[in-house]
Amino acid sequence: MRAPKSQKWSKAVLVEIEFEEEFAVLQIDNTREAAECLMELWPTLDGVAFHRALVVCATSLEGGADDRGAREAFRAAAEEADILVPIH
């Protein structure tokens, strides 16, 4: 059985996640990390962009979509959840 693919993105997405009443900035730079962040650390389970990012990341890991689409979907979900950290 082949392991799901996950190539490093050309540009990371930074998100600010709350851990035990403290905040941490995470650098997400591949689809596997994005999927794990969405499933395990996301601050809300609501939102159109959140649900789309889950689907796009899963599809990408299974080889049915490219990683660029997963990055954009993850970034949109982070923006929707108001946890996106701007990169200058």
Side-chain angles (χ1 to χ4, degrees):
M1 186 169 151
R2 190 178 81 167
K5 72 175 186 92
S6 183
Q7 297 179 2
K8 190 169 182 175
W9 296 340
S10 61
K11 188 174 182 181
V13 176
L14 301 180
V15 293
E16 187 173 45
I17 301 289
E18 185 175 0
F19 291 105
E20 299 177 9
E21 299 181 20
E22 293 187 19
F23 288 91
V25 174
L26 303 180
Q27 178 175 309
I28 307 299
D29 65 5
N30 66 63
T31 302
R32 182 180 320 285
E33 288 178 355
E36 290 172 359
C37 185
L38 288 163
M39 292 185 294
E40 298 173 12
L41 303 172
W42 216 247
T44 179
L45 301 179
D46 293 327
V48 173
F50 167 75
H51 289 286
R52 181 175 185 281
L54 283 173
V55 170
V56 173
C57 286
T59 302
S60 179
L61 288 171
E62 294 170 355
D66 68 9
D67 287 319
R68 184 177 31 196
R71 181 194 179 279
E72 292 307 313
F74 180 78
R75 188 183 185 290
E79 194 167 32
E80 176 184 73
D82 199 28
I83 61 169
L84 181 66
V85 177
I87 299 175
H88 300 288

